[in-house]
Amino acid sequence: MAPMEPGHAQIDLLAARALLEWQMELGADEPILDAPLNRYDVAAEAPKPAADAAPVVPLEAEAVDPVAVARAAAEAAGDLETLAEVQSAYDHCELKKGARNFVFADGNPSARVLILGEAPGRDEDLEGRPFVGRAGQLLDRMFAAIGLARTAHHANEALYITNVMPWRPPQNRDPEPAEIAMMLPFVMRHIELVNPDMIVLMGNTSCAAALGKRGILRLRGNWSEAFGKPAMPMTHPAYLLRNPAAKREAWADLLEIKARLGELS
Ligand code: URA
């Protein structure tokens, strides 16, 4: 072995080989050159393919439109059971990966009133049913005050409850517009199959999905139309838990719903 320059530790052949292998394991794939090399120049000078060479066909990523996939699956579902099956099997929404459970609906499908909530929270994710946490308990009390319950057997007294999102978003963040767009075909088909007399839009995400707008404090209390049905936007019970003073307006909205039910029957 040639003598090393002063200051360099002498290493034997085996140690040198081990070092080299170690560097290769770390990803090194060529030794340092004597002079610096500008890799950008190398790329620019890369040989052009010969004129008669076969054209290079770029590999195209398979184009999947998640909304179109959702629409096809939802429209093909002939009943609620099938809709739940195809929606829970839908794999294009990232929220599914972080959720414990798929939360489809609760209540009586023959109800005249359908409540469209936002997304499951922690309790709903654990239990697989919508509105079972504190906000859900308040929701039950609010509707009980106008004679409606998710456990009622008769359509006139019953509630049907579902959400825009069937999977809990991480840290209960708001669902993103793309996530809402993917779920919209399922929501539309869900409402078509239940065919309620009216819809209650609980909070901003529901208004964004059903009306294409947010601003629940402006929208609440005013009848609108969503999915071909009369729709009443209301402040979410989670908001009412944080802002008890807003319960007065929520009560007015509930009375509005009761009156409209009377008119429609
Ligand atoms: N909030 C919602 O909007 N939906 C639920 O299911 C629970 C809390």
Side-chain angles (χ1 to χ4, degrees):
M1 185 178 287
M4 303 283 295
E5 285 174 25
H8 283 180
Q10 181 90 31
I11 54 172
D12 65 23
L13 190 60
L14 281 177
R17 191 190 164 97
L19 268 177
L20 189 59
E21 283 171 357
W22 170 240
Q23 289 186 8
M24 285 164 73
E25 249 181 67
L26 291 178
D29 56 5
E30 62 181 306
I32 294 171
L33 300 172
D34 292 338
L37 176 65
N38 186 336
R39 300 273 166 199
Y40 291 105
D41 293 346
V42 175
E45 286 161 13
K48 306 237 170 2
D52 58 353
V56 178
V57 181
L59 277 179
E60 267 180 36
E62 206 183 319
V64 175
D65 175 352
V67 177
V69 174
R71 199 177 300 125
E75 283 174 3
D79 53 39
L80 288 171
E81 202 183 323
T82 313
L83 184 68
E85 265 168 38
V86 296
Q87 191 175 11
S88 70
Y90 181 81
D91 273 334
H92 298 278
C93 181
E94 285 295 304
L95 297 183
K96 179 176 177 178
K97 296 186 185 144
R100 281 192 179 82
N101 272 305
F102 170 70
V103 179
F104 186 64
D106 196 18
N108 183 342
S110 65
R112 297 179 64 202
V113 177
L114 180 145
I115 295 177
L116 183 62
E118 300 190 328
R122 183 179 166 276
D123 297 307
E124 292 76 19
D125 183 41
L126 284 171
E127 209 172 299
R129 280 201 304 138
F131 282 103
V132 292
R134 274 185 74 220
Q137 288 157 20
L138 175 57
L139 178 134
D140 283 340
R141 290 198 298 279
M142 286 161 59
F143 283 87
I146 55 164
L148 302 179
R150 63 173 106 186
T151 49
H153 295 298
H154 194 285
N156 280 338
E157 288 140 26
L159 278 179
Y160 186 80
I161 306 175
T162 186
N163 283 314
V164 174
M165 304 303 306
W167 295 290
R168 181 192 184 192
Q171 277 86 47
N172 297 341
R173 68 154 169 79
D174 283 346
E176 287 167 10
E179 292 163 346
I180 296 177
M182 282 179 217
M183 290 302 110
L184 200 51
F186 294 110
V187 173
M188 288 168 79
R189 187 69 183 132
H190 205 151
I191 291 170
E192 211 167 50
L193 290 168
V194 174
N195 193 21
D197 284 355
M198 66 177 63
I199 304 172
V200 180
L201 303 172
M202 277 300 179
N204 263 325
T205 297
S206 316
C207 290
L211 307 175
K213 49 189 170 190
R214 293 175 174 268
I216 189 63
L217 296 181
R218 247 184 314 107
L219 295 169
R220 63 138 286 279
N222 298 302
W223 285 104
S224 198
E225 196 187 290
F227 312 113
K229 308 279 178 193
M232 170 59 81
M234 283 187 70
T235 45
H236 196 283
Y239 175 84
L240 299 177
L241 286 172
R242 295 192 301 270
N243 302 277
K247 284 182 184 169
R248 234 170 97 104
E249 290 168 344
W251 176 238
D253 301 344
L254 288 167
L255 293 178
E256 206 24 75
I257 289 167
K258 189 178 157 83
R260 187 75 178 257
L261 277 174
E263 284 165 22
L264 291 175
S265 58

